[in-house]
Amino acid sequence: MNLGLQRLKCLELSDTQVGSNGLRHLSGLVNLESLNLSFTVVTDGGLRKLSGLSSLKSLNLDARQITDAGLAALTSLTGLTHLDLFCARITDSGTNYLRYFKNLRSLEICGGGLTDAGVKNIKDLSFLTLLNLSQNSHLTDKTLELISGLTQLVCLNVSNTRVTSAGLQHLKPLKNLKSLTLESCKVTANDIKKLQSADLPNLVNYRPE
């Protein structure tokens, strides 16, 4: 390890051919706070090599080959505040590992493997300000009920799910919500406007509009 890199705080490796073997070279980067491994060839097993990066706050793993096992390998990274698993193949079982990340402010899980049962493990992440669960086509209005206690949420995306206008009532407690995206759901722009005018005065961006 080059001693000059030990102070490195941000490392951008997205869209590269970095693989699991290459991650062993990161183990000495004890001050690393942000790491982007999206669209790399890193696998679940390789993520174990990140377990000692205790300063890590932001991790981007937007890659189809990452699964629940990869999430399990990261449970020592309890300081994470931003976790992007956009394309990762996370299932309800994998969401059990989210309980190790109590400090999360931002979470994206959009690989299509979640049902309402998995959202039960997200509902206690009370510091979340951004939550993206789009593309999980099995999610229903029950998901909105489960996350109704996440009152710090500023941005919520549940597009391409089975959410309907009837479920919008569960969003009334989310008074800090500024952005709400419900594309390809059984929800109209008028439904959202009614919710905005009656209960969500801070809502400024919404889809459909």
Side-chain angles (χ1 to χ4, degrees):
M1 169 60 62
N2 184 327
L3 292 177
L5 293 178
Q6 286 191 350
R7 292 182 180 178
L8 195 67
K9 290 192 173 182
C10 181
L11 185 57
E12 169 71 55
L13 294 170
S14 61
D15 292 295
T16 66
Q17 289 301 304
V18 169
S20 296
N21 285 336
L23 294 187
R24 72 180 188 276
H25 300 297
L26 305 185
S27 60
L29 300 179
V30 293
N31 292 303
L32 196 65
E33 295 179 0
S34 176
L35 177 60
N36 189 339
L37 294 171
S38 62
F39 307 110
T40 60
V41 292
V42 170
T43 61
D44 290 336
L47 295 179
R48 286 196 293 271
K49 299 180 177 73
L50 304 179
S51 61
L53 301 181
S54 57
S55 295
L56 208 58
K57 290 181 169 60
S58 176
L59 181 59
N60 188 324
L61 293 170
D62 183 357
R64 283 299 291 170
Q65 72 274 14
I66 300 301
T67 72
D68 295 343
L71 200 49
L74 300 172
T75 53
S76 65
L77 303 179
T78 55
L80 282 180
T81 57
H82 296 79
L83 182 57
D84 185 343
L85 296 159
F86 191 91
C87 273
R89 290 179 291 129
I90 306 301
T91 70
D92 292 342
S93 177
T95 63
N96 284 300
Y97 301 112
L98 292 174
R99 69 179 183 273
Y100 292 93
F101 310 121
K102 298 288 190 189
N103 296 305
L104 280 181
R105 266 68 170 175
S106 171
L107 176 65
E108 300 189 60
I109 302 181
C110 310
L114 295 192
T115 72
D116 298 331
V119 179
K120 289 178 182 176
N121 294 313
I122 293 172
K123 70 179 180 62
D124 294 323
L125 299 174
S126 57
F127 292 122
L128 281 179
T129 59
L130 181 150
L131 180 60
N132 186 354
L133 299 175
S134 63
Q135 322 309 317
N136 290 293
S137 60
H138 298 292
L139 298 183
T140 73
D141 291 341
K142 180 67 177 177
T143 280
L144 298 188
E145 181 182 355
L146 287 166
I147 64 172
S148 63
L150 297 178
T151 54
Q152 299 301 309
L153 279 179
V154 173
C155 182
L156 175 63
N157 188 339
V158 281
S159 295
N160 293 286
T161 65
R162 297 180 186 175
V163 164
T164 72
S165 55
L168 295 183
Q169 61 173 321
H170 300 301
L171 300 181
K172 291 179 180 180
L174 305 185
K175 301 301 183 186
N176 291 307
L177 210 58
K178 291 183 179 179
S179 176
L180 176 62
T181 310
L182 293 156
E183 298 276 18
S184 300
C185 297
K186 291 182 179 176
V187 177
T188 67
N190 202 42
D191 294 330
I192 301 175
K193 283 178 185 172
K194 286 179 183 176
L195 179 70
Q196 176 193 37
S197 60
D199 298 286
L200 300 179
N202 292 311
L203 191 63
V204 290
N205 296 309
Y206 56 85
R207 298 282 187 280
E209 61 180 4

